[in-house]
Amino acid sequence: MRISYSALNDYGNCPLKFKYKNIDKIAEPENAERIFGNVVNDALEFMFSPNPLYPTLDEIINRFNKKFDEKKSKNSELKLEESLRNDGIQILKNFYRKNTPWNYNVIDL
């Protein structure tokens, strides 16, 4: 069984939360921070997936915007502010500038 850092942290803070989340597989409700993290993570995963070439920064940002809009329309009760979109784009630009995908040999995503 693989245990992530966040799972160990959950166990340290609340063993019952660990049980519900990791053993019983009860999903936590969506919130703006979780959605934002998932959308940024999806864009970063796309960034390091050559098909057959690595995507450009514009393609990565377009994917981020598309996923952000999908999540925003699907979760209209949550406040996915435009400032989150701008933060995500800035994060992706900075990361891309410092970590161009073709300079790495990615083993697993």
Side-chain angles (χ1 to χ4, degrees):
M1 177 179 185
R2 292 178 62 180
I3 302 289
S4 68
Y5 172 79
S6 61
L8 289 173
N9 192 41
D10 287 343
Y11 184 80
N13 292 330
C14 179
L16 190 57
K17 178 179 180 180
F18 173 85
K19 178 187 180 300
Y20 288 156
K21 191 172 169 184
N22 296 285
I23 296 171
D24 298 340
K25 304 290 185 202
I26 298 172
E28 290 185 52
E30 291 285 357
N31 61 33
E33 293 80 13
R34 171 180 265 178
I35 291 171
F36 174 75
N38 288 340
V39 173
V40 169
N41 189 57
D42 176 77
L44 291 172
E45 191 172 308
F46 175 67
M47 176 178 159
F48 286 99
S49 301
N51 192 20
L53 301 174
Y54 289 103
T56 65
L57 179 58
D58 287 338
E59 290 171 327
I60 295 165
I61 290 171
N62 287 341
R63 182 177 178 110
F64 171 81
N65 283 324
K66 179 182 173 200
K67 296 285 185 175
F68 189 90
D69 289 337
E70 286 173 6
K71 294 290 187 176
K72 190 172 184 175
S73 65
K74 188 189 273 189
N75 297 286
S76 57
E77 70 279 357
L78 295 176
K79 299 286 188 220
L80 286 174
E81 304 292 334
E82 285 303 307
S83 63
L84 277 179
R85 181 192 307 270
N86 296 333
D87 290 347
I89 290 170
Q90 195 58 49
I91 288 168
L92 293 170
K93 285 180 178 179
N94 290 340
F95 189 85
Y96 189 88
R97 241 182 267 120
K98 294 177 183 176
N99 305 282
T100 51
W102 51 86
N103 287 336
Y104 295 93
N105 185 16
V106 177
I107 296 170
D108 193 19
L109 296 173

